Amino acid sequence: MNPSSFISTKRVCSRRQFLRGTGVALALPFLDAMMPAFARDTKVVPPRRVLAVCNNLGLVPEKFFPEQAGRDYALSPYLQELAEHRNEFTVFSGVSHPDVDGGHPADNCFLTAAPHPGSGGFRNTISLDQFAAERIGNLTRFQSLTLGVNVQQGLRSLSWTGTGALIPCEEKPSEVFKRLFLNGTPAQVAEQERKLALGQSIMDAVAGQAKSLQRDVGPRDKERLDQYFTGVRDLEKRMGQAREWERKPKPIVKATMPKDPESPREYMEKARLMYEMARLAFENDSTRLVTLMLDSVNSPAIEVEGTNTTDGYHNLSHHGKSPTKLAQLEMIDREHMKLLATLFGELKTAHEGSDRLLDRTMILYGSNLGNASTHVTTNLPVLFAGGGFKHGQHLLFDRERNYPLPNLFVSMLQRLGIEADKFATSTGTMKGLDLA
């Protein structure tokens, strides 16, 4: 008999097994021994991730957009900063969110595509990251991370819940680092577990009281109660998942806690550190969904390459074709591209199994404004990198009658393994964007 027909009796390590000693619990990496013998020949597919970034003052259009379409396009002045990575990203022209207007308020809709954000009574809709988080967020310690630079707290965010509520941005890289990698004391973990348990018992009690009403209400109220019970069950499930994560040690990294820049003038350093926090979170699979709002509107004169601009970022965007303002704005825009180049390079050198981390990570970089000087919300500057797509191209759509950007969101959701054929005002998947 062929020996391979026998199932190995060798003990299989638990995926949650730790090395313990002197009060330290070190989580083991994924080992072959953690997989049943009969499944060890099965290829383990690493997860996919999304980093979505919005610079709400955009980029000078004529410096960003290439003139030619296709794969042989000549790099624009700004894209020359990304020359070594040109086969890792796709640049789009002629895309926008249908009916998203209103100038600056459109930044809150960059990942929601909710129409008419400047209108009275506007209510936002769910953002791309939160739509995905509802479906895959339970797989990681943090369902998502919502980050920001110089954000007007309470007014701006890229992340919005299904009920249209803003999720506040975390602006301190040190706090992000603490959440990701610093474990609480046993007493702190126990207290957090107590809070979670208390929350579940409260919801059980409320659910029991509400259920008793079903005997005395009409059909419409019964439907509402059914919806309520569904929400209660979902919340209890999330609480149970949160309790499990509280018991697991956080990953250990070589990186040290970053020092928070003190001044909003240190805008670029803040952005660099947030990119670093996103990369570290992805490397350790602490989350698979990160958003970053670069609130340029709320930024003063900023430091670029060791020098200060002479005017606030917002005022520079209204350059009136002043050579002095345009020169400073170009310096800022190029610095944005340099930060992206650094991020792309780091994700290319980091590996997850046999794959580069960049091939597992989709990076969306763009703006809600096609031209900040005139506040137009059409022909948005958009870069899309990584994720295992065929890149190295410029997809040029009609710059007068724009192609819907939400189609890209559908492609991203499907790449995450989420069954979705529509998001917001999409009409399908992104035309011309194929898998590698």
Side-chain angles (χ1 to χ4, degrees):
M1 183 177 293
N2 189 339
S4 64
S5 63
F6 289 98
I7 297 177
S8 172
T9 58
K10 184 177 181 180
R11 186 174 65 88
V12 177
C13 295
S14 167
R15 180 65 183 91
R16 296 180 181 176
Q17 186 166 333
F18 308 111
L19 300 177
R20 301 181 185 275
T22 63
V24 175
L26 175 63
L28 290 174
F30 190 83
L31 306 174
D32 288 342
M34 294 174 179
M35 193 184 305
F38 61 83
R40 288 177 191 166
D41 292 333
T42 303
K43 182 179 179 181
V44 177
V45 179
R48 298 194 182 276
R49 305 175 174 93
V50 169
L51 168 62
V53 184
C54 175
N55 171 8
N56 61 10
L57 284 183
L59 300 156
V60 177
E62 54 269 26
K63 298 285 186 178
F64 174 78
F65 291 113
E67 294 182 1
Q68 303 88 9
R71 297 191 176 275
D72 297 324
Y73 73 94
L75 292 170
S76 65
Y78 286 173
L79 296 183
Q80 288 173 7
E81 303 290 350
L82 296 166
E84 64 177 308
H85 308 297
R86 71 167 294 156
N87 291 324
E88 312 292 349
F89 67 87
T90 295
V91 58
F92 300 98
S93 297
V95 297
S96 64
H97 289 317
D99 297 322
V100 175
D101 47 27
H104 291 305
D107 54 7
N108 285 326
C109 299
F110 184 67
L111 293 183
T112 70
H116 310 303
S119 63
F122 169 76
R123 189 175 186 84
N124 216 340
T125 53
I126 194 167
S127 55
L128 174 68
D129 61 307
Q130 295 308 300
F131 184 91
E134 289 183 352
R135 290 153 179 81
I136 65 171
N138 63 299
L139 301 176
T140 52
R141 182 182 295 274
F142 302 102
Q143 289 196 349
S144 62
L145 291 179
T146 300
L147 311 179
V149 170
N150 291 355
V151 173
Q152 286 184 293
Q153 290 292 349
L155 296 178
R156 285 192 165 99
S157 177
L158 290 186
S159 301
W160 297 76
T161 70
T163 58
L166 175 150
I167 298 177
C169 298
E170 176 55 66
E171 289 198 81
K172 291 185 176 181
S174 65
E175 292 300 322
V176 179
F177 189 91
K178 289 177 185 178
R179 287 181 63 195
L180 290 173
F181 305 120
L182 297 190
N183 290 295
T185 65
Q188 289 171 330
V189 172
E191 173 64 13
Q192 185 61 29
E193 287 189 350
R194 187 191 68 80
K195 291 178 180 178
L196 290 169
L198 179 61
Q200 183 167 345
S201 66
I202 291 173
M203 294 309 301
D204 285 341
V206 173
Q209 295 172 24
K211 194 172 183 179
S212 67
L213 297 175
Q214 285 187 314
R215 296 187 300 270
D216 304 316
V217 298
R220 289 184 61 185
D221 283 338
K222 285 184 179 179
E223 182 178 351
R224 290 169 182 162
L225 286 173
D226 285 341
Q227 293 174 349
Y228 174 76
F229 292 142
T230 299
V232 170
R233 286 191 292 270
D234 288 344
L235 181 57
E236 289 175 346
K237 182 179 179 181
R238 291 196 298 272
M239 286 178 171
Q241 292 165 348
R243 186 180 298 108
E244 288 296 316
W245 283 112
E246 286 298 328
R247 298 190 184 109
K248 298 179 183 180
K250 294 180 180 179
I252 297 174
V253 293
K254 294 181 179 178
T256 57
M257 184 186 302
K259 181 180 179 181
D260 297 328
E262 297 180 358
S263 170
R265 291 177 178 271
E266 298 177 83
Y267 171 102
M268 290 299 176
E269 176 62 7
K270 289 183 177 184
R272 184 192 70 80
L273 288 172
M274 286 307 189
Y275 283 151
E276 184 176 345
M277 293 302 101
R279 176 181 59 81
L280 288 172
F282 289 158
E283 285 183 356
N284 293 278
D285 202 29
S286 294
T287 190
R288 297 172 188 173
L289 303 163
V290 180
T291 65
L292 174 58
M293 168 70 87
L294 301 175
D295 193 352
S296 308
V297 175
N298 197 41
S299 297
I302 64 176
E303 296 179 1
V304 183
E305 298 180 344
T307 63
N308 286 338
T309 58
T310 58
D311 207 345
Y313 200 160
H314 190 190
N315 287 338
L316 287 177
S317 73
H318 293 291
H319 48 74
K321 298 186 178 180
S322 162
T324 301
K325 288 187 174 183
L326 279 170
Q328 294 188 51
L329 199 55
E330 180 174 348
M331 183 171 61
I332 293 172
D333 289 349
R334 285 184 178 273
E335 192 67 16
H336 279 296
M337 296 297 101
K338 291 176 183 178
L339 290 178
L340 281 180
T342 299
L343 177 64
F344 294 171
E346 290 174 343
L347 292 175
K348 285 167 70 172
T349 57
H351 284 76
E352 191 170 39
S354 60
D355 293 337
R356 303 180 308 172
L357 192 56
L358 181 61
D359 296 326
R360 312 299 307 180
T361 304
M362 292 174 274
I363 303 172
L364 170 66
Y365 181 94
S367 179
N368 52 289
L369 294 179
N371 189 334
S373 183
T374 57
H375 286 182
V376 296
T377 55
T378 55
N379 196 29
L380 304 179
V382 176
L383 279 176
F384 182 62
F389 289 90
K390 291 181 180 178
H391 290 301
Q393 60 179 334
H394 173 209
L395 291 180
L396 174 60
F397 298 99
D398 193 328
R399 291 178 176 172
E400 298 298 324
R401 301 180 64 183
N402 287 178
Y403 187 79
L405 182 57
N407 284 15
L408 175 60
F409 296 176
V410 175
S411 294
M412 293 170 69
L413 289 170
Q414 292 182 1
R415 195 60 168 152
L416 286 171
I418 296 172
E419 294 184 5
D421 56 10
K422 186 172 180 59
F423 183 86
T425 50
S426 68
T427 59
T429 54
M430 195 72 186
K431 182 180 179 182
L433 186 66
D434 300 318
L435 297 178

